[in-house]
Amino acid sequence: QLQVAESGGDSVQAGASLNLSCVASGLAYDTYVMGWLRQAPGEKREGVAAIDTDGKTTYADSVKGRFIISKEDGKATIYLQMNQLKPEDTAMYICAVEFFTNTDDFLEYGGKNAWGRGTQVTVSA
C-alpha cells in the first residue's frame, strides 16, 4: 500500500528557514515524481516544487531562489529546504507522489497517486 508521510512544519518568523521531510513507502514502480503542494485556508492547492528519480527539479515562480528540493539517492525520501520565509508562505504543505508524469505536470496538476496528511507551516510578520 502506497503511503506518504511528511514532517518538519513549524511556526516561525519572517526571514527564518525550515526543512520539511517526506518519506514514501509501498511504491509500485522505480521511477516517479515526488514533490510538495501547499494549500492555505480558502485558497486553491498549488504546486511548490517537484523532483523526479533522475534529480530533475521544477519550482513554482513564487519560491524560486528561496526553496530547494532534494532527494536521497535510492530512497523515496525528499526534503524541502525553505529559506527567507514570508507570511505568504503560510499553508499546509502536502507531499505527493505520482507515476508516469514529469515535474512540470506534477506542479501543474498536483501529484495524483498518493498524498500525505500535510504539515503546517506558519510564518508571522
Side-chain angles (χ1 to χ4, degrees):
Q1 183 182 355
L2 180 53
Q3 293 184 321
V4 179
E6 314 90 335
S7 61
D10 205 349
S11 295
V12 296
Q13 295 210 314
S17 298
L18 278 176
N19 191 31
L20 306 184
S21 303
C22 173
V23 179
S25 59
L27 276 73
Y29 304 98
D30 292 333
T31 55
Y32 48 84
V33 174
M34 285 182 73
W36 296 92
L37 315 168
R38 68 185 180 186
Q39 188 162 21
E43 301 286 332
K44 210 170 105 175
R45 186 175 289 187
E46 63 170 345
V48 176
I51 187 167
D52 68 16
T53 42
D54 290 330
K56 179 182 181 296
T57 59
T58 299
Y59 294 92
D61 287 343
S62 58
V63 307
K64 272 182 192 168
R66 300 189 298 123
F67 291 11
I68 301 170
I69 189 169
S70 61
K71 67 182 184 70
E72 283 198 38
D73 286 341
K75 294 184 181 181
T77 301
I78 64 169
Y79 305 96
L80 186 68
Q81 177 65 38
M82 305 189 293
N83 302 315
Q84 301 168 47
L85 282 161
K86 304 175 181 180
E88 51 263 44
D89 294 318
T90 295
M92 181 70 76
Y93 282 71
I94 302 155
C95 182
V97 179
E98 188 173 350
F99 306 108
F100 310 118
T101 189
N102 57 67
T103 54
D104 292 336
D105 285 350
F106 180 101
L107 227 64
E108 180 73 25
Y109 303 113
K112 298 192 181 98
N113 290 106
W115 304 265
R117 291 184 178 182
T119 186
Q120 178 68 35
V121 172
T122 303
V123 185
S124 56

